[in-house]
Amino acid sequence: MSFKIIDTHMHFGPEPARMVPDHSVESLVAIMDHLDIEKGISANCMSLSKNLWEQGLQDDFAAYEKSGGRIFSFFGYDPLYIDQCVEVMRRHAGDPRCVGIKIHPSGSKVKADDERYRPVWEMARELKLPLMSHTWDVSTYNPNQIYAVAGLFEKYIAEYPDVTFVFGHCGGRYHGIKQAIEIGKKYPNAHYDITGDIWLNGFIEELVDGVGADRIVYGSDWTMIEQRPMLGVVYGSNLPAVDKEKILRYTAARIYFGEE
Amino acid sequence: MSVQKRSDEFKKWINESDIIDIDVWWDPTFDQGFVTYKDFEKQMADYYEFGLKKCIVTNKASMIRDAAEGNAELAEIIKGKENMYGCMVVVPEMGYVDDKGEAYVQSLLDQGFVAARIFPKTYIHSMQEYCIGPILDTLEKLGVPLMLWHTEATWDDMDRICTNHPDLNVIVEGHDRKLLYHARDYVGLMRKHKNFFVETHNLVLFNDIETICKYCGCDQLLYGSYYPYMTPYFSLYPVMQAVIPEEEIQKIIAGNAKRIFKIG
């Protein structure tokens, strides 16, 4: 039987800025089958950027059904709407389709170490769910990335050692990635997803060398970034097969799906 | 299929495929990466380890220091190197001499250059005909494709150039800035202008290659890696695994480049 991949970072839901004529569940499942991706986890665009957390979840749940149980969900959390987000999480607590919580400080424009994020770390602890955040580097053309630079997460990572935290995009670019790795060397609950266009030559070897493959997961950022680029980075790398397997499946299986 | 087998097949495909990479850089100033080079021979030795064999190289010095000096430096670097071609950087004043810079451009073509770039923001000039018309006339006359960054030239600039110079092949190269927000622009341009091309390393939207092939055909896609900044594995796998006929993949990785750069 073919090795099956888990894609830990996807986005169902409408996003008018992107020209993706066919973003149906059917087309997604077709490419997942083509690439041997067994399942994926979606942070719905409606939850992330449209303040429609319940609708975003329902959209993801519909994808779960249509995909035959292959698309799972992140809860969304915006520190500017704490009560609404916590209510949604409590309403769906224990739902096996909800396997993590996603925050996006750049989107919310609230720095990741702000006290308004404390409730989500508490919820992650209470619900025993991994907490994944968009992380990036300081950007000359997207100033909002300053809210999500890697160093800002250290405060909560340190305070909540029992919460599995995932640096989405592992810090984004050179300095962000290095900063995220340094944090990971101090805190074993820090994990990394290689989602998006993280294409720096030699980065994946640097990341594995710094924190180990069993703290790294694969993600695509579908529909914004599709599945194949980062798969190529992993397949082509000089890492041993056992590390590639951890990145492509086993780490995610453990932290998001409780599979040992 | 196992991960090891997929990895082996990927590398085998690269090694056995005829791939022309139109987007390699020589940039010894680059230090914001985990792999950087001060030695061109070492950079290219590592490049060939990826399995790639043919490339068009641009000298970063031509962009950030002096176009003519950088071009001359690159001419020396690529001299005698099989399957390695140069990309010159041109500035408007190169076209202001009597022959619109034809002698200069031809001299570079004679030294193995096959493409040109222009950086209007870096060199602070207009992209209107009054400014760049003469040098573009020369590139068009000599059949030298022009590569542009979408952060240096606007999509309207590209539309105008393609209209005013219908025999000049214009290529947008995504460098390190996401192209995905501009899909409606580059697809629109590809549909309107058969002389407008997109280099593939930064085509990352879901099914981007398939969508382009559906709306425009595959003849205007050109493989590029943006090495050494980017690992070529990032850009090669989407082409290898594109859900399009094999002959279209072959066009993207080499056939289209052979046609418009007359190499190969």
Side-chain angles (χ1 to χ4, degrees), chain A residues 191-222:
Chain A
H191 294 67
Y192 304 79
D193 85 24
I194 59 167
T195 296
D197 56 339
I198 316 299
W199 39 250
L200 270 176
N201 201 2
F203 111 86
I204 190 123
E205 289 87 355
E206 183 86 7
L207 188 61
V208 171
D209 195 50
V211 300
D214 42 16
R215 286 205 271 159
I216 303 169
V217 297
Y218 162 77
S220 63
D221 219 4
W222 182 89

PDB file of all heavy atoms in Angstrom, chain A residues 191-222:
ATOM      1  N   HIS A 191       6.498  23.126  17.453  1.00  0.00           N
ATOM      2  CA  HIS A 191       6.528  22.330  16.232  1.00  0.00           C
ATOM      3  C   HIS A 191       6.464  23.263  15.029  1.00  0.00           C
ATOM      4  O   HIS A 191       6.271  24.474  15.193  1.00  0.00           O
ATOM      5  CB  HIS A 191       5.343  21.345  16.206  1.00  0.00           C
ATOM      6  CG  HIS A 191       5.418  20.287  17.263  1.00  0.00           C
ATOM      7  ND1 HIS A 191       5.297  20.574  18.605  1.00  0.00           N
ATOM      8  CD2 HIS A 191       5.602  18.950  17.179  1.00  0.00           C
ATOM      9  CE1 HIS A 191       5.414  19.444  19.309  1.00  0.00           C
ATOM     10  NE2 HIS A 191       5.605  18.452  18.458  1.00  0.00           N
ATOM     11  N   TYR A 192       6.622  22.686  13.848  1.00  0.00           N
ATOM     12  CA  TYR A 192       6.784  23.511  12.653  1.00  0.00           C
ATOM     13  C   TYR A 192       6.030  22.906  11.486  1.00  0.00           C
ATOM     14  O   TYR A 192       6.146  21.695  11.238  1.00  0.00           O
ATOM     15  CB  TYR A 192       8.282  23.583  12.294  1.00  0.00           C
ATOM     16  CG  TYR A 192       9.100  24.105  13.441  1.00  0.00           C
ATOM     17  CD1 TYR A 192       9.432  23.271  14.505  1.00  0.00           C
ATOM     18  CD2 TYR A 192       9.480  25.441  13.503  1.00  0.00           C
ATOM     19  CE1 TYR A 192      10.121  23.758  15.595  1.00  0.00           C
ATOM     20  CE2 TYR A 192      10.183  25.934  14.598  1.00  0.00           C
ATOM     21  CZ  TYR A 192      10.490  25.083  15.641  1.00  0.00           C
ATOM     22  OH  TYR A 192      11.174  25.567  16.732  1.00  0.00           O
ATOM     23  N   ASP A 193       5.295  23.744  10.765  1.00  0.00           N
ATOM     24  CA  ASP A 193       4.786  23.236   9.487  1.00  0.00           C
ATOM     25  C   ASP A 193       5.496  23.963   8.355  1.00  0.00           C
ATOM     26  O   ASP A 193       5.867  25.125   8.483  1.00  0.00           O
ATOM     27  CB  ASP A 193       3.246  23.257   9.391  1.00  0.00           C
ATOM     28  CG  ASP A 193       2.631  24.577   8.925  1.00  0.00           C
ATOM     29  OD1 ASP A 193       3.290  25.395   8.240  1.00  0.00           O
ATOM     30  OD2 ASP A 193       1.443  24.798   9.236  1.00  0.00           O
ATOM     31  N   ILE A 194       5.736  23.210   7.278  1.00  0.00           N
ATOM     32  CA  ILE A 194       6.528  23.745   6.165  1.00  0.00           C
ATOM     33  C   ILE A 194       5.608  24.225   5.054  1.00  0.00           C
ATOM     34  O   ILE A 194       5.901  24.109   3.874  1.00  0.00           O
ATOM     35  CB  ILE A 194       7.532  22.707   5.639  1.00  0.00           C
ATOM     36  CG1 ILE A 194       6.808  21.432   5.152  1.00  0.00           C
ATOM     37  CG2 ILE A 194       8.555  22.355   6.705  1.00  0.00           C
ATOM     38  CD1 ILE A 194       7.707  20.512   4.336  1.00  0.00           C
ATOM     39  N   THR A 195       4.517  24.804   5.481  1.00  0.00           N
ATOM     40  CA  THR A 195       3.473  25.225   4.550  1.00  0.00           C
ATOM     41  C   THR A 195       3.868  26.457   3.753  1.00  0.00           C
ATOM     42  O   THR A 195       4.490  27.371   4.271  1.00  0.00           O
ATOM     43  CB  THR A 195       2.216  25.558   5.362  1.00  0.00           C
ATOM     44  OG1 THR A 195       1.769  24.377   5.993  1.00  0.00           O
ATOM     45  CG2 THR A 195       1.117  26.147   4.513  1.00  0.00           C
ATOM     46  N   GLY A 196       3.420  26.450   2.526  1.00  0.00           N
ATOM     47  CA  GLY A 196       3.494  27.680   1.750  1.00  0.00           C
ATOM     48  C   GLY A 196       4.694  27.701   0.828  1.00  0.00           C
ATOM     49  O   GLY A 196       5.206  26.682   0.410  1.00  0.00           O
ATOM     50  N   ASP A 197       5.120  28.883   0.509  1.00  0.00           N
ATOM     51  CA  ASP A 197       6.272  29.001  -0.382  1.00  0.00           C
ATOM     52  C   ASP A 197       7.540  29.221   0.448  1.00  0.00           C
ATOM     53  O   ASP A 197       8.135  30.290   0.446  1.00  0.00           O
ATOM     54  CB  ASP A 197       6.056  30.094  -1.418  1.00  0.00           C
ATOM     55  CG  ASP A 197       5.748  31.453  -0.817  1.00  0.00           C
ATOM     56  OD1 ASP A 197       5.301  31.509   0.349  1.00  0.00           O
ATOM     57  OD2 ASP A 197       5.952  32.459  -1.520  1.00  0.00           O
ATOM     58  N   ILE A 198       7.904  28.180   1.187  1.00  0.00           N
ATOM     59  CA  ILE A 198       9.118  28.228   2.011  1.00  0.00           C
ATOM     60  C   ILE A 198      10.204  27.548   1.203  1.00  0.00           C
ATOM     61  O   ILE A 198      10.453  26.350   1.323  1.00  0.00           O
ATOM     62  CB  ILE A 198       8.915  27.494   3.356  1.00  0.00           C
ATOM     63  CG1 ILE A 198       7.579  27.831   3.984  1.00  0.00           C
ATOM     64  CG2 ILE A 198      10.071  27.794   4.293  1.00  0.00           C
ATOM     65  CD1 ILE A 198       7.394  29.292   4.316  1.00  0.00           C
ATOM     66  N   TRP A 199      10.806  28.287   0.310  1.00  0.00           N
ATOM     67  CA  TRP A 199      11.609  27.637  -0.702  1.00  0.00           C
ATOM     68  C   TRP A 199      13.104  27.869  -0.589  1.00  0.00           C
ATOM     69  O   TRP A 199      13.858  27.501  -1.472  1.00  0.00           O
ATOM     70  CB  TRP A 199      11.145  28.108  -2.083  1.00  0.00           C
ATOM     71  CG  TRP A 199      10.778  29.569  -2.183  1.00  0.00           C
ATOM     72  CD1 TRP A 199       9.518  30.070  -2.345  1.00  0.00           C
ATOM     73  CD2 TRP A 199      11.646  30.712  -2.152  1.00  0.00           C
ATOM     74  NE1 TRP A 199       9.560  31.453  -2.426  1.00  0.00           N
ATOM     75  CE2 TRP A 199      10.846  31.873  -2.313  1.00  0.00           C
ATOM     76  CE3 TRP A 199      13.029  30.875  -2.006  1.00  0.00           C
ATOM     77  CZ2 TRP A 199      11.367  33.161  -2.321  1.00  0.00           C
ATOM     78  CZ3 TRP A 199      13.561  32.159  -2.020  1.00  0.00           C
ATOM     79  CH2 TRP A 199      12.731  33.264  -2.175  1.00  0.00           C
ATOM     80  N   LEU A 200      13.524  28.520   0.476  1.00  0.00           N
ATOM     81  CA  LEU A 200      14.944  28.819   0.605  1.00  0.00           C
ATOM     82  C   LEU A 200      15.783  27.559   0.447  1.00  0.00           C
ATOM     83  O   LEU A 200      15.535  26.542   1.099  1.00  0.00           O
ATOM     84  CB  LEU A 200      15.242  29.435   1.967  1.00  0.00           C
ATOM     85  CG  LEU A 200      15.167  30.949   2.090  1.00  0.00           C
ATOM     86  CD1 LEU A 200      15.401  31.356   3.534  1.00  0.00           C
ATOM     87  CD2 LEU A 200      16.174  31.638   1.183  1.00  0.00           C
ATOM     88  N   ASN A 201      16.774  27.658  -0.395  1.00  0.00           N
ATOM     89  CA  ASN A 201      17.690  26.556  -0.629  1.00  0.00           C
ATOM     90  C   ASN A 201      18.298  26.102   0.697  1.00  0.00           C
ATOM     91  O   ASN A 201      18.842  26.914   1.454  1.00  0.00           O
ATOM     92  CB  ASN A 201      18.795  27.047  -1.572  1.00  0.00           C
ATOM     93  CG  ASN A 201      19.505  25.926  -2.284  1.00  0.00           C
ATOM     94  OD1 ASN A 201      19.160  24.759  -2.123  1.00  0.00           O
ATOM     95  ND2 ASN A 201      20.492  26.290  -3.073  1.00  0.00           N
ATOM     96  N   GLY A 202      18.147  24.820   1.021  1.00  0.00           N
ATOM     97  CA  GLY A 202      18.753  24.277   2.230  1.00  0.00           C
ATOM     98  C   GLY A 202      17.953  24.444   3.496  1.00  0.00           C
ATOM     99  O   GLY A 202      18.379  24.004   4.573  1.00  0.00           O
ATOM    100  N   PHE A 203      16.736  25.038   3.398  1.00  0.00           N
ATOM    101  CA  PHE A 203      16.017  25.337   4.643  1.00  0.00           C
ATOM    102  C   PHE A 203      15.553  24.078   5.360  1.00  0.00           C
ATOM    103  O   PHE A 203      15.584  24.009   6.593  1.00  0.00           O
ATOM    104  CB  PHE A 203      14.855  26.295   4.364  1.00  0.00           C
ATOM    105  CG  PHE A 203      13.492  25.669   4.533  1.00  0.00           C
ATOM    106  CD1 PHE A 203      12.885  25.628   5.772  1.00  0.00           C
ATOM    107  CD2 PHE A 203      12.848  25.098   3.462  1.00  0.00           C
ATOM    108  CE1 PHE A 203      11.638  25.023   5.935  1.00  0.00           C
ATOM    109  CE2 PHE A 203      11.619  24.493   3.607  1.00  0.00           C
ATOM    110  CZ  PHE A 203      11.002  24.453   4.855  1.00  0.00           C
ATOM    111  N   ILE A 204      15.095  23.063   4.593  1.00  0.00           N
ATOM    112  CA  ILE A 204      14.498  21.917   5.279  1.00  0.00           C
ATOM    113  C   ILE A 204      15.565  21.128   6.024  1.00  0.00           C
ATOM    114  O   ILE A 204      15.310  20.608   7.120  1.00  0.00           O
ATOM    115  CB  ILE A 204      13.690  21.033   4.305  1.00  0.00           C
ATOM    116  CG1 ILE A 204      12.891  19.994   5.100  1.00  0.00           C
ATOM    117  CG2 ILE A 204      14.570  20.277   3.321  1.00  0.00           C
ATOM    118  CD1 ILE A 204      11.447  20.038   4.839  1.00  0.00           C
ATOM    119  N   GLU A 205      16.748  21.079   5.438  1.00  0.00           N
ATOM    120  CA  GLU A 205      17.840  20.396   6.151  1.00  0.00           C
ATOM    121  C   GLU A 205      18.207  21.158   7.422  1.00  0.00           C
ATOM    122  O   GLU A 205      18.473  20.564   8.474  1.00  0.00           O
ATOM    123  CB  GLU A 205      19.062  20.273   5.229  1.00  0.00           C
ATOM    124  CG  GLU A 205      18.884  19.265   4.071  1.00  0.00           C
ATOM    125  CD  GLU A 205      18.234  19.865   2.831  1.00  0.00           C
ATOM    126  OE1 GLU A 205      17.814  21.043   2.876  1.00  0.00           O
ATOM    127  OE2 GLU A 205      18.151  19.149   1.812  1.00  0.00           O
ATOM    128  N   GLU A 206      18.190  22.492   7.314  1.00  0.00           N
ATOM    129  CA  GLU A 206      18.489  23.333   8.488  1.00  0.00           C
ATOM    130  C   GLU A 206      17.451  23.109   9.586  1.00  0.00           C
ATOM    131  O   GLU A 206      17.777  23.008  10.779  1.00  0.00           O
ATOM    132  CB  GLU A 206      18.474  24.797   8.051  1.00  0.00           C
ATOM    133  CG  GLU A 206      18.836  25.788   9.126  1.00  0.00           C
ATOM    134  CD  GLU A 206      20.327  26.007   9.257  1.00  0.00           C
ATOM    135  OE1 GLU A 206      21.088  25.495   8.420  1.00  0.00           O
ATOM    136  OE2 GLU A 206      20.726  26.706  10.202  1.00  0.00           O
ATOM    137  N   LEU A 207      16.189  23.019   9.177  1.00  0.00           N
ATOM    138  CA  LEU A 207      15.103  22.853  10.140  1.00  0.00           C
ATOM    139  C   LEU A 207      15.208  21.488  10.841  1.00  0.00           C
ATOM    140  O   LEU A 207      15.111  21.401  12.071  1.00  0.00           O
ATOM    141  CB  LEU A 207      13.759  22.980   9.417  1.00  0.00           C
ATOM    142  CG  LEU A 207      12.485  23.035  10.260  1.00  0.00           C
ATOM    143  CD1 LEU A 207      12.481  24.227  11.196  1.00  0.00           C
ATOM    144  CD2 LEU A 207      11.256  23.078   9.354  1.00  0.00           C
ATOM    145  N   VAL A 208      15.446  20.454  10.075  1.00  0.00           N
ATOM    146  CA  VAL A 208      15.560  19.116  10.671  1.00  0.00           C
ATOM    147  C   VAL A 208      16.774  19.054  11.582  1.00  0.00           C
ATOM    148  O   VAL A 208      16.724  18.494  12.676  1.00  0.00           O
ATOM    149  CB  VAL A 208      15.635  18.048   9.560  1.00  0.00           C
ATOM    150  CG1 VAL A 208      15.981  16.680  10.153  1.00  0.00           C
ATOM    151  CG2 VAL A 208      14.318  17.966   8.811  1.00  0.00           C
ATOM    152  N   ASP A 209      17.847  19.671  11.136  1.00  0.00           N
ATOM    153  CA  ASP A 209      19.060  19.683  11.952  1.00  0.00           C
ATOM    154  C   ASP A 209      18.825  20.411  13.270  1.00  0.00           C
ATOM    155  O   ASP A 209      19.362  20.044  14.304  1.00  0.00           O
ATOM    156  CB  ASP A 209      20.159  20.386  11.146  1.00  0.00           C
ATOM    157  CG  ASP A 209      21.514  20.126  11.740  1.00  0.00           C
ATOM    158  OD1 ASP A 209      21.826  18.957  11.994  1.00  0.00           O
ATOM    159  OD2 ASP A 209      22.269  21.092  11.938  1.00  0.00           O
ATOM    160  N   GLY A 210      17.980  21.433  13.230  1.00  0.00           N
ATOM    161  CA  GLY A 210      17.753  22.247  14.420  1.00  0.00           C
ATOM    162  C   GLY A 210      16.799  21.634  15.426  1.00  0.00           C
ATOM    163  O   GLY A 210      17.029  21.709  16.627  1.00  0.00           O
ATOM    164  N   VAL A 211      15.692  21.035  14.910  1.00  0.00           N
ATOM    165  CA  VAL A 211      14.648  20.602  15.849  1.00  0.00           C
ATOM    166  C   VAL A 211      14.228  19.144  15.661  1.00  0.00           C
ATOM    167  O   VAL A 211      13.458  18.628  16.461  1.00  0.00           O
ATOM    168  CB  VAL A 211      13.408  21.513  15.757  1.00  0.00           C
ATOM    169  CG1 VAL A 211      13.771  22.951  16.076  1.00  0.00           C
ATOM    170  CG2 VAL A 211      12.742  21.414  14.405  1.00  0.00           C
ATOM    171  N   GLY A 212      14.667  18.505  14.582  1.00  0.00           N
ATOM    172  CA  GLY A 212      14.296  17.105  14.385  1.00  0.00           C
ATOM    173  C   GLY A 212      13.015  16.939  13.594  1.00  0.00           C
ATOM    174  O   GLY A 212      12.078  17.723  13.726  1.00  0.00           O
ATOM    175  N   ALA A 213      12.977  15.899  12.764  1.00  0.00           N
ATOM    176  CA  ALA A 213      11.835  15.677  11.879  1.00  0.00           C
ATOM    177  C   ALA A 213      10.571  15.346  12.635  1.00  0.00           C
ATOM    178  O   ALA A 213       9.464  15.533  12.108  1.00  0.00           O
ATOM    179  CB  ALA A 213      12.152  14.558  10.890  1.00  0.00           C
ATOM    180  N   ASP A 214      10.673  14.858  13.875  1.00  0.00           N
ATOM    181  CA  ASP A 214       9.438  14.519  14.560  1.00  0.00           C
ATOM    182  C   ASP A 214       8.778  15.723  15.210  1.00  0.00           C
ATOM    183  O   ASP A 214       7.845  15.578  16.001  1.00  0.00           O
ATOM    184  CB  ASP A 214       9.616  13.366  15.551  1.00  0.00           C
ATOM    185  CG  ASP A 214      10.867  13.470  16.343  1.00  0.00           C
ATOM    186  OD1 ASP A 214      11.466  14.556  16.360  1.00  0.00           O
ATOM    187  OD2 ASP A 214      11.268  12.456  16.943  1.00  0.00           O
ATOM    188  N   ARG A 215       9.249  16.923  14.830  1.00  0.00           N
ATOM    189  CA  ARG A 215       8.507  18.126  15.217  1.00  0.00           C
ATOM    190  C   ARG A 215       8.117  18.940  13.985  1.00  0.00           C
ATOM    191  O   ARG A 215       7.775  20.113  14.098  1.00  0.00           O
ATOM    192  CB  ARG A 215       9.337  18.962  16.189  1.00  0.00           C
ATOM    193  CG  ARG A 215       9.381  18.346  17.576  1.00  0.00           C
ATOM    194  CD  ARG A 215       9.653  19.397  18.610  1.00  0.00           C
ATOM    195  NE  ARG A 215      11.072  19.587  18.845  1.00  0.00           N
ATOM    196  CZ  ARG A 215      11.593  20.684  19.381  1.00  0.00           C
ATOM    197  NH1 ARG A 215      10.829  21.700  19.720  1.00  0.00           N
ATOM    198  NH2 ARG A 215      12.885  20.759  19.605  1.00  0.00           N
ATOM    199  N   ILE A 216       8.201  18.305  12.831  1.00  0.00           N
ATOM    200  CA  ILE A 216       7.915  19.028  11.584  1.00  0.00           C
ATOM    201  C   ILE A 216       6.789  18.318  10.854  1.00  0.00           C
ATOM    202  O   ILE A 216       6.767  17.085  10.761  1.00  0.00           O
ATOM    203  CB  ILE A 216       9.163  19.074  10.692  1.00  0.00           C
ATOM    204  CG1 ILE A 216      10.327  19.720  11.431  1.00  0.00           C
ATOM    205  CG2 ILE A 216       8.880  19.847   9.398  1.00  0.00           C
ATOM    206  CD1 ILE A 216      11.662  19.568  10.716  1.00  0.00           C
ATOM    207  N   VAL A 217       5.847  19.109  10.337  1.00  0.00           N
ATOM    208  CA  VAL A 217       4.744  18.543   9.560  1.00  0.00           C
ATOM    209  C   VAL A 217       4.673  19.217   8.201  1.00  0.00           C
ATOM    210  O   VAL A 217       5.073  20.377   8.048  1.00  0.00           O
ATOM    211  CB  VAL A 217       3.380  18.691  10.289  1.00  0.00           C
ATOM    212  CG1 VAL A 217       3.374  17.912  11.598  1.00  0.00           C
ATOM    213  CG2 VAL A 217       3.039  20.146  10.532  1.00  0.00           C
ATOM    214  N   TYR A 218       4.116  18.485   7.269  1.00  0.00           N
ATOM    215  CA  TYR A 218       3.907  19.024   5.923  1.00  0.00           C
ATOM    216  C   TYR A 218       2.574  19.754   5.863  1.00  0.00           C
ATOM    217  O   TYR A 218       1.580  19.341   6.492  1.00  0.00           O
ATOM    218  CB  TYR A 218       3.924  17.870   4.904  1.00  0.00           C
ATOM    219  CG  TYR A 218       3.307  18.241   3.573  1.00  0.00           C
ATOM    220  CD1 TYR A 218       3.993  19.013   2.647  1.00  0.00           C
ATOM    221  CD2 TYR A 218       1.999  17.850   3.263  1.00  0.00           C
ATOM    222  CE1 TYR A 218       3.413  19.379   1.451  1.00  0.00           C
ATOM    223  CE2 TYR A 218       1.411  18.213   2.063  1.00  0.00           C
ATOM    224  CZ  TYR A 218       2.121  18.978   1.163  1.00  0.00           C
ATOM    225  OH  TYR A 218       1.536  19.340  -0.022  1.00  0.00           O
ATOM    226  N   GLY A 219       2.559  20.841   5.125  1.00  0.00           N
ATOM    227  CA  GLY A 219       1.305  21.529   4.833  1.00  0.00           C
ATOM    228  C   GLY A 219       1.457  22.201   3.492  1.00  0.00           C
ATOM    229  O   GLY A 219       2.572  22.452   3.015  1.00  0.00           O
ATOM    230  N   SER A 220       0.311  22.517   2.874  1.00  0.00           N
ATOM    231  CA  SER A 220       0.378  23.091   1.531  1.00  0.00           C
ATOM    232  C   SER A 220       0.019  24.568   1.483  1.00  0.00           C
ATOM    233  O   SER A 220       0.654  25.345   0.779  1.00  0.00           O
ATOM    234  CB  SER A 220      -0.550  22.319   0.590  1.00  0.00           C
ATOM    235  OG  SER A 220      -1.909  22.466   1.029  1.00  0.00           O
ATOM    236  N   ASP A 221      -1.011  24.958   2.219  1.00  0.00           N
ATOM    237  CA  ASP A 221      -1.604  26.299   2.143  1.00  0.00           C
ATOM    238  C   ASP A 221      -2.618  26.375   1.005  1.00  0.00           C
ATOM    239  O   ASP A 221      -2.923  27.471   0.511  1.00  0.00           O
ATOM    240  CB  ASP A 221      -0.545  27.386   1.975  1.00  0.00           C
ATOM    241  CG  ASP A 221      -0.870  28.649   2.786  1.00  0.00           C
ATOM    242  OD1 ASP A 221      -1.868  28.644   3.534  1.00  0.00           O
ATOM    243  OD2 ASP A 221      -0.126  29.649   2.652  1.00  0.00           O
ATOM    244  N   TRP A 222      -3.139  25.221   0.587  1.00  0.00           N
ATOM    245  CA  TRP A 222      -4.179  25.160  -0.432  1.00  0.00           C
ATOM    246  C   TRP A 222      -5.335  26.064  -0.078  1.00  0.00           C
ATOM    247  O   TRP A 222      -5.753  26.117   1.073  1.00  0.00           O
ATOM    248  CB  TRP A 222      -4.669  23.709  -0.529  1.00  0.00           C
ATOM    249  CG  TRP A 222      -5.716  23.457  -1.555  1.00  0.00           C
ATOM    250  CD1 TRP A 222      -5.529  23.117  -2.860  1.00  0.00           C
ATOM    251  CD2 TRP A 222      -7.145  23.509  -1.367  1.00  0.00           C
ATOM    252  NE1 TRP A 222      -6.739  22.947  -3.491  1.00  0.00           N
ATOM    253  CE2 TRP A 222      -7.745  23.186  -2.607  1.00  0.00           C
ATOM    254  CE3 TRP A 222      -7.970  23.798  -0.281  1.00  0.00           C
ATOM    255  CZ2 TRP A 222      -9.124  23.143  -2.789  1.00  0.00           C
ATOM    256  CZ3 TRP A 222      -9.342  23.765  -0.456  1.00  0.00           C
ATOM    257  CH2 TRP A 222      -9.910  23.443  -1.697  1.00  0.00           C
TER     258      TRP A 222
END
